[in-house]
Amino acid sequence: MCIGTERAEQIFVFDVLALKAYNLHPLMKILADPAVKKIMWDCRNDFVEILAAYGVALQGVLDLQLAEIESRVSVRGEMEWKRMARLAAGGRRLPLPVIKQNPDLFLAFTVCKAWTPALRRLASLPLARTVSTHSFAPSLVVDNSYVVEQVVNMHKTNGSVIWMERPLLPQLLQYAAHDIEMIGALYEHFKQEGWIMPRKEDVLVDQSMRYAYSLYYQGRVSDDDVFGSSSLLPLDVLREPRGLTVPCQGCHRMQSLHCFTISKRGRKIVARTNVCRVCQIKLLIKQANYRVSWVHVNVPVSFRI
């Protein structure tokens, strides 16, 4: 496990396999402290793993992946066609006609990116644009490429067992610490670009905590679980759940009714699907055989979604 200071001036690598639980208590205290901000990229699996292994729920998370998503429209002016194209992924994820023919199903959906495009963007910037924040940011992506390639090849040859051997190889330590350097560089870059605004960081932390908990009710699931983690941003993350919340039989999250396909009689909502719209899209992507059915709901006429 790795943590570091905000700009990665100091990086600490903890051998959680070698250390006893009481040795890790100071670290866990930091992770559980909401006053200590944790900058992460896609915090979901780390949140679940730390909670399962140590019974500690991360607090004070600021997820850069969400900042990148929020910036697409608010800062970069992304058009609707780009969102739909990203969902389709050139037909690799879903045929574009399927998305266009089911606008209600795909309403408000977006896709989470890995950090590679953001790192490429950072690496392409002139040094003058980064010297005031993280002077080595553009070179970080390139300088460590040889180590990354080495570790990738080691994984292909020996699998994840390389992380179980002690002492850890220098390449593995450098590989682990490099993630902290990347997060520090991206955080500074996002602030410089206006993707993260100081006055809105508290809102981003709230969104990030909802994101962190999005896999909580599922816990650890197998890689082949059709309702497991995906690149689709869960709904009720960028905005707080409102009104009646109900459980999804797929991901087990409690979500607002707008996260489901609903049926109305006049203005009154009378039914919703047993799985949320995210899980329905997962079924489409994976072409899984799962029965989507209707569940009766009792909602007042005045209720709005």
Side-chain angles (χ1 to χ4, degrees):
M1 186 182 301
C2 293
I3 65 172
T5 52
E6 184 173 307
R7 295 190 181 182
E9 300 97 338
Q10 293 179 301
I11 299 173
F12 307 89
V13 182
F14 293 84
D15 190 343
V16 295
L17 296 181
L19 294 170
K20 303 295 184 184
Y22 64 83
N23 297 129
L24 292 170
H25 179 71
L27 173 61
M28 295 302 148
K29 191 174 180 180
I30 292 173
L31 297 182
D33 187 350
V36 180
K37 193 181 300 174
K38 291 87 182 174
I39 313 299
M40 305 178 73
W41 186 285
D42 193 352
C43 60
R44 295 173 295 173
N45 287 307
D46 286 337
F47 179 89
V48 170
E49 289 298 322
I50 292 171
L51 184 60
Y54 305 104
V56 172
L58 281 168
Q59 298 295 325
V61 173
L62 189 154
D63 200 303
L64 297 179
Q65 192 175 55
L66 294 186
E68 188 277 328
I69 289 170
E70 283 278 64
S71 74
R72 292 174 189 173
V73 175
S74 62
V75 180
R76 291 178 280 170
E78 182 174 286
M79 305 296 287
E80 175 64 7
W81 68 266
K82 188 69 177 289
R83 181 187 73 90
M84 296 181 69
R86 187 179 286 111
L87 280 168
R92 296 186 303 277
R93 185 176 291 113
L94 282 170
L96 188 58
V98 170
I99 299 172
K100 290 182 176 180
Q101 291 163 13
N102 297 275
D104 291 341
L105 179 62
F106 291 93
L107 181 66
F109 270 107
T110 191
V111 172
C112 305
K113 284 184 179 180
W115 66 0
T116 306
L119 291 174
R120 286 174 180 159
R121 175 187 171 91
L122 180 60
S124 67
L125 294 178
L127 182 60
R129 292 190 60 188
T130 61
V131 69
S132 63
T133 54
H134 200 300
S135 300
F136 302 102
S139 60
L140 282 174
V141 184
V142 178
D143 290 349
N144 208 52
S145 59
Y146 177 67
V147 172
V148 171
E149 185 178 351
Q150 275 189 310
V151 175
V152 169
N153 290 333
M154 291 162 64
H155 263 279
K156 289 179 180 178
T157 304
N158 302 304
S160 58
V161 70
I162 58 176
W163 293 98
M164 305 299 289
E165 298 173 353
R166 294 297 181 273
L168 281 169
L169 294 172
Q171 300 97 311
L172 297 182
L173 288 171
Q174 189 174 347
Y175 180 86
H178 188 59
D179 280 358
I180 303 300
E181 293 179 317
M182 294 292 89
I183 288 173
L186 285 175
Y187 181 50
E188 293 299 327
H189 173 57
F190 281 17
K191 289 192 293 184
Q192 190 176 24
E193 293 293 297
W195 296 9
I196 296 176
M197 304 293 288
R199 69 179 185 275
K200 294 183 178 180
E201 279 204 10
D202 288 345
V203 173
L204 183 55
V205 169
D206 289 341
Q207 294 170 332
S208 300
M209 289 309 305
R210 290 194 290 271
Y211 195 36
Y213 273 98
S214 65
L215 295 181
Y216 170 75
Y217 294 102
Q218 279 182 299
R220 290 170 168 167
V221 296
S222 61
D223 292 339
D224 60 353
D225 190 308
V226 68
F227 297 121
S229 179
S230 77
S231 60
L232 294 171
L233 177 68
L235 296 172
D236 274 359
V237 164
L238 296 182
R239 63 180 182 180
E240 288 188 65
R242 64 189 193 279
L244 179 68
T245 57
V246 293
C248 169
Q249 291 181 11
C251 62
H252 307 298
R253 289 180 63 221
M254 294 294 294
Q255 301 173 67
S256 307
L257 282 177
H258 78 90
C259 300
F260 298 79
T261 302
I262 59 173
S263 176
K264 288 185 177 182
R265 185 177 299 126
R267 295 171 57 194
K268 185 177 181 180
I269 301 169
V270 295
R272 53 97 180 176
T273 48
N274 59 333
V275 294
C276 67
R277 291 191 286 126
V278 172
C279 287
Q280 290 181 61
I281 295 172
K282 289 178 182 178
L283 292 172
L284 283 175
I285 293 172
K286 299 177 182 179
Q287 299 181 344
N289 185 18
Y290 185 92
R291 184 169 178 265
V292 178
S293 59
W294 290 100
V295 178
H296 175 75
V297 293
N298 186 18
V299 182
V301 174
S302 59
F303 181 78
R304 295 286 185 272
I305 65 167

